[in-house]
Amino acid sequence: MAVSASIVKRFEGLRARLWEHDHRYYVLAQPTIADAEYDRLMKELLDLEAAHPELATPDSPSQRVGGQPTKEFPTVTHNVPMLSLSNTYNEDEVRDFDRRVRSALGQEPFKYVCELKFDGVAVSLRYSNGMFVRGATRGDGTRGDEITQNLKTIRSIPLRTRKKKKGMDEFEVRGEVYMRRDDFRRMNETRELAGEKTFINPRNSAAGTLKLQDPKIVAGRPLNFVAYYLRTESVGLSSHSENLRILRDLGFPVSEHTRVSKDVEGVAGYWKEWDERRDSLPYDIDGVVVKVDSLSQQERLGMIAKSPRWAIAFKFAARQAMTTLHNITLQVGRVGTITPVAELEPVFVGGTTVSRATLHNEDYIKALDIRPGDTVVVEKGGDVIPKVSAVVKEQRRSGTKPFSMPGKCPECGSRISRPEGEANHYCENSECPAQIRARIEHFAHRGAMDIEGLGEAIVDQLVSLGFVHNYADVYGLQRKREELVTLERWGEKSVENLLLAIEGSKQRPFTRVLFALGIRHVGTSVAQLIVNQVRSMEGLVGASFEELQGIQGVGPRIAESVRRFVEDKHNLKVIERLKKAGLQFEEKQRRSVRRSALTGKTVVLTGTLSSLTRDQARQMIENSGGHVASSVSSKTDYVVVGIDPGSKLNTAQKLGVQTLREEEFIRLVQSK
Ligand code: IVH
């Protein structure tokens, strides 16, 4: 039965509107109708096509919901091989690339186009008479999988181009299929709740999705596309930057962050800028791509092996890498905290080689089901401490066993326990050699007594040879000079230097001494708060639980910990010896507190201040009798907001805590 003209008209109208809305929503990110309205139009189209199957065309928006599953993807041969890029991680190699380009082009002027390197999956899209007809993966560069049905579900890939470019009947677009980080997280959360396998990162998730044989499932996954290459034989093209403009006109999503640069300096600047800004993008990039702009120059430069000589990938230090977890060992801290540590096959990540990474505690290991022998994902960004963030379960070999916390301390064999409500296990033996070493290291550390030359290796040696057993013994080393000189790796000079450093440490103010004692929960700023109140070691030992707890910023947990420390006979003996050695046991200058609007207030700092360092700001607050806290709670009086504030600002707004700009803060501190 022939379809009536009015139905054909209705069908064509629906189709055109849905194409338009896909473009507005997924390419321009400027939707003009509500989701529900879009769904209604799509449903009407699907119903029409169900009633009149002859209306359905390969470019119909109904393709977005996914067609029939395939058994196997057919293999297709790329007309022109999909090359890969040669990679580099350093500027020198980019300068070498630039020299090669310049020498090959002689004196000819040329330009570079700098682009983001999207961390996704490369695909090729073929268009014929404005219609998307075939999509394929890169495969080995020569042959890939035909995945047209899967790609049709990606709404930022036009099923039909918006305009027709004269003469360009056949063309190929290449680009990257990727997943945004927030979509990835949401998808993983849903999968976790449903008890399904989660993906490791957005790229794996995009790659895994494109491999699915059922396009209907692909349609439900949040994939995006960005185009970075155009090829056609039917008309002459002039430059890459012009091609990007054509692609945009045809309705393809093209990155807004592309920049043309006249020389390698501009390239290096672009790389630096994006290395710093990469977290501000909603998707992952793993570097930048630099391309010679002119297509005729590209042609003259040609290629070597499988990569073009006219382009290079200038990568960022990876923040994620996979490696083998050889073993899980336990590290014992100064208060007996047992931290499980991943012993890894060394791997280059975040700019350094990582062979150990924290596993936090037993719960963390259990939640991720991390087992020795596993292939794991290691993450390290910037100055962040490396961590194991995921396990590649597909690569798990048989015979691996889940981790369980041993019952005994690996250092001293004493019982270890996990107090109720805590995530950590503790070694109960305060004489455990590992704890002794860690306490002395902490004592000598820069922020504490700052004894140069008393680092990990030396402490280890002195403890194992029996020279020191607790930190008071450090001040007895003076009398052991002769013996020390004869030790392996030591000599007159190094012993002399160490003893001088030890002597010098006797001048550290009482606050530092208190911090150096290593009382659990007493960090630098808590030590300062306590000293402001108790003034001396005598005052500290004599302070009751109530008095301590009454100090602004000191709660029952800290007060309890301090009391427990000073009630211990052994600790009191050590303190007595430190006093005899001549350490500062009193806060010298009575810091006069100048009253201001911040006196007695609890203040939290977030973001970077432009006229003050964090320490200066803290000092100003403390000098006027205020207290600096590290996190925002309902007890916070003010949050000082600098440039690029963190999540503390959100918390403050949620809790209705008053926020101060830098100028307002300064005015308040100076106020009477
Ligand atoms: S151009 C001959 N541009 O990097 C040039 N590639 O190793 C071919 N990629 O397989 C690619 N962002 O998956 C180009 N802006 C970009 C890119 C990009 C990511 C990926 C692509 C390719 C690999 C090259």
Side-chain angles (χ1 to χ4, degrees):
M1 193 184 74
V3 185
S4 76
S6 68
I7 288 186
V8 172
K9 204 160 161 222
R10 180 69 195 148
F11 167 75
E12 284 175 350
L14 278 169
R15 209 170 57 164
R17 283 173 71 187
L18 285 163
W19 280 332
E20 181 61 26
H21 288 307
D22 275 344
H23 182 256
R24 289 201 184 151
Y25 192 105
Y26 293 99
V27 179
L28 305 178
Q30 290 163 346
T32 48
I33 56 166
D35 291 359
E37 176 64 4
Y38 179 95
D39 293 346
R40 198 190 60 73
L41 294 175
M42 182 64 91
K43 178 157 189 311
E44 192 182 341
L45 181 79
L46 290 169
D47 289 347
L48 262 182
E49 288 185 3
H52 310 282
E54 60 273 45
L55 287 180
T57 53
D59 59 353
S60 163
S62 62
Q63 302 281 320
R64 300 293 196 202
V65 301
Q68 292 303 309
T70 41
K71 280 237 163 54
E72 220 173 280
F73 297 122
T75 301
V76 294
T77 305
H78 299 297
N79 278 5
V80 168
M82 287 180 79
L83 302 178
S84 61
L85 294 167
S86 52
N87 285 333
T88 174
Y89 290 86
N90 72 63
E91 205 174 308
D92 288 345
E93 283 181 27
V94 176
R95 290 184 189 275
D96 289 344
F97 162 79
D98 174 59
R99 257 189 293 279
R100 285 196 301 273
V101 168
R102 277 186 288 129
S103 90
L105 296 179
Q107 295 301 309
E108 233 173 82
F110 70 97
K111 278 185 278 198
Y112 288 124
V113 179
C114 306
E115 289 174 2
L116 303 181
K117 188 169 188 307
F118 303 93
D119 200 6
V121 184
V123 296
S124 146
L125 314 174
R126 207 141 83 180
Y127 284 76
S128 185
N129 295 315
M131 211 153 81
F132 175 39
V133 290
R134 192 192 86 179
T137 60
R138 175 168 178 276
D140 62 5
T142 312
R143 271 177 294 272
D145 289 341
E146 199 247 77
I147 51 164
T148 316
Q149 295 311 316
N150 283 353
L151 291 171
K152 279 187 174 176
T153 68
I154 302 177
R155 296 199 146 102
S156 47
I157 294 181
L159 297 171
R160 170 168 288 278
T161 57
R162 289 176 60 73
K163 291 184 187 158
K164 284 236 173 67
K165 187 154 158 63
K166 232 173 102 205
M168 231 172 69
D169 303 328
E170 307 282 325
F171 64 88
E172 181 195 351
V173 175
R174 292 179 186 172
E176 205 84 350
V177 170
Y178 66 95
M179 201 176 274
R180 290 166 54 113
R181 273 195 298 272
D182 54 354
D183 284 335
F184 162 75
R185 255 193 303 270
R186 225 169 293 140
M187 193 184 86
N188 254 0
E189 276 163 21
T190 318
R191 292 179 69 83
E192 182 147 18
L193 284 177
E196 290 167 318
K197 194 173 77 60
T198 53
F199 289 103
I200 286 169
N201 55 35
R203 182 170 52 82
N204 280 30
S205 159
T209 301
L210 286 183
K211 285 201 191 100
L212 294 174
Q213 243 103 39
D214 186 350
K216 286 205 169 59
I217 304 181
V218 180
R221 302 267 178 92
L223 294 179
N224 292 296
F225 176 74
V226 59
Y228 50 64
Y229 174 89
L230 169 67
R231 193 182 65 80
T232 181
E233 271 146 31
S234 41
V235 294
L237 298 170
S238 65
S239 70
H240 179 62
S241 49
E242 177 60 22
N243 284 357
L244 294 176
R245 265 190 292 278
I246 297 173
L247 283 168
R248 196 188 300 266
D249 283 348
L250 291 173
F252 291 89
V254 175
S255 170
E256 309 157 8
H257 303 300
T258 300
R259 186 183 302 162
V260 174
S261 161
K262 62 182 192 334
D263 57 23
V264 71
E265 301 308 325
V267 169
Y270 182 82
W271 178 86
K272 270 200 203 83
E273 179 181 334
W274 282 103
D275 192 16
E276 281 160 20
R277 283 178 67 188
R278 59 198 284 204
D279 290 332
S280 69
L281 292 167
Y283 44 81
D284 284 346
I285 57 173
D286 57 344
V288 304
V289 181
V290 186
K291 303 172 180 174
V292 169
D293 192 28
S294 149
L295 300 185
S296 64
Q297 287 176 336
Q298 283 188 3
E299 204 169 323
R300 273 167 46 214
L301 284 156
M303 54 185 271
I304 9 159
K306 281 193 160 175
S307 10
R309 255 198 292 252
W310 47 263
I312 193 166
F314 187 2
K315 304 221 336 187
F316 306 136
R319 290 170 169 186
Q320 237 191 16
M322 284 188 215
T323 191
T324 309
L325 170 68
H326 291 309
N327 203 1
I328 297 177
T329 56
L330 301 177
Q331 195 172 307
V332 187
R334 71 190 145 86
V335 291
T337 325
I338 310 250
T339 310
V341 176
E343 305 291 343
L344 304 160
E345 178 61 29
V347 62
F348 192 74
V349 56
T352 55
T353 301
V354 173
S355 55
R356 306 183 86 209
T358 174
L359 291 170
H360 307 291
N361 53 48
E362 186 183 31
D363 291 348
Y364 187 78
I365 300 177
K366 291 232 161 99
L368 295 179
D369 186 18
I370 303 172
R371 306 180 183 191
D374 274 344
T375 300
V376 294
V377 178
V378 178
E379 276 186 13
K380 178 177 181 294
D383 340 311
V384 181
I385 302 167
K387 68 167 190 179
V388 170
S389 62
V391 174
V392 187
K393 295 260 169 71
E394 299 77 43
Q395 290 185 27
R396 173 169 285 167
R397 287 169 310 174
S398 60
T400 58
K401 293 197 187 68
F403 172 81
S404 71
M405 203 58 142
K408 286 185 179 160
C409 171
E411 282 277 344
C412 68
S414 305
R415 217 168 68 91
I416 68 178
S417 64
R418 178 176 173 175
E420 218 179 285
E422 285 208 36
N424 289 326
H425 282 77
Y426 294 91
C427 163
E428 291 175 357
N429 170 20
S430 61
E431 291 296 293
C432 170
Q435 287 189 44
I436 293 175
R437 283 198 304 269
R439 279 197 293 266
I440 297 171
E441 273 164 32
H442 169 79
F443 183 82
H445 196 263
R446 277 248 307 273
M449 302 306 280
D450 193 10
I451 306 177
E452 207 182 319
L454 201 53
E456 203 176 316
I458 300 296
V459 170
D460 203 9
Q461 193 184 19
L462 294 176
V463 172
S464 60
L465 294 176
F467 280 94
V468 290
H469 189 70
N470 58 50
Y471 33 67
D473 295 338
V474 168
Y475 297 95
L477 286 173
Q478 197 86 36
R479 278 174 271 123
K480 309 221 167 120
R481 180 191 296 262
E482 308 308 317
E483 279 174 82
L484 288 172
V485 173
T486 64
L487 294 184
E488 210 180 316
R489 284 180 290 148
W490 289 71
E492 293 274 356
K493 187 83 197 135
S494 43
V495 171
E496 185 59 27
N497 286 342
L498 177 63
L499 294 178
L500 275 173
I502 292 172
E503 192 57 31
S505 73
K506 294 180 180 171
Q507 299 313 314
R508 307 281 173 260
F510 177 50
T511 311
R512 295 260 214 131
V513 176
L514 175 55
F515 169 60
L517 296 180
I519 304 174
R520 195 185 291 181
H521 308 309
V522 180
T524 345
S525 51
V526 170
Q528 181 69 62
L529 295 173
I530 295 176
V531 169
N532 287 348
Q533 176 70 29
V534 303
R535 314 304 306 169
S536 66
M537 189 66 91
E538 212 177 317
L540 178 81
V541 176
S544 68
F545 175 83
E546 286 70 30
E547 186 180 345
L548 290 166
Q549 195 196 10
I551 302 172
Q552 168 89 264
V554 175
R557 193 178 60 130
I558 300 173
E560 158 83 33
S561 169
V562 172
R563 281 309 304 162
R564 196 182 302 173
F565 187 91
V566 299
E567 275 165 14
D568 183 294
K569 282 206 187 72
H570 170 76
N571 288 338
L572 286 175
K573 263 193 216 140
V574 173
I575 289 174
E576 196 50 41
R577 287 177 58 206
L578 291 177
K579 186 175 181 187
K580 284 218 180 84
L583 268 59
Q584 305 298 312
F585 270 25
E586 246 171 74
E587 178 71 347
K588 281 263 171 57
Q589 44 322 25
R590 212 161 233 289
R591 259 191 321 109
S592 59
V593 168
R594 39 177 315 288
R595 293 200 66 82
S596 82
L598 291 184
T599 310
K601 300 284 192 235
T602 299
V603 184
V604 172
L605 302 164
T606 180
T608 314
L609 301 177
S610 54
S611 64
L612 300 167
T613 65
R614 272 267 168 126
D615 273 342
Q616 288 168 329
R618 168 192 294 279
Q619 207 63 63
M620 285 167 76
I621 296 165
E622 285 170 356
N623 287 348
S624 45
H627 160 56
V628 180
S630 56
S631 61
V632 181
S633 73
S634 54
K635 294 199 188 117
T636 312
D637 295 297
Y638 299 107
V639 173
V640 180
V641 182
I643 302 156
D644 281 338
S647 60
K648 290 175 196 168
L649 174 59
N650 296 341
T651 316
Q653 285 163 343
K654 243 184 250 144
L655 296 176
V657 174
Q658 188 174 350
T659 58
L660 300 175
R661 278 179 286 113
E662 185 168 343
E663 317 81 77
E664 295 174 314
F665 161 66
I666 293 172
R667 227 176 296 134
L668 273 190
V669 199
Q670 290 169 347
S671 68
K672 281 267 157 52

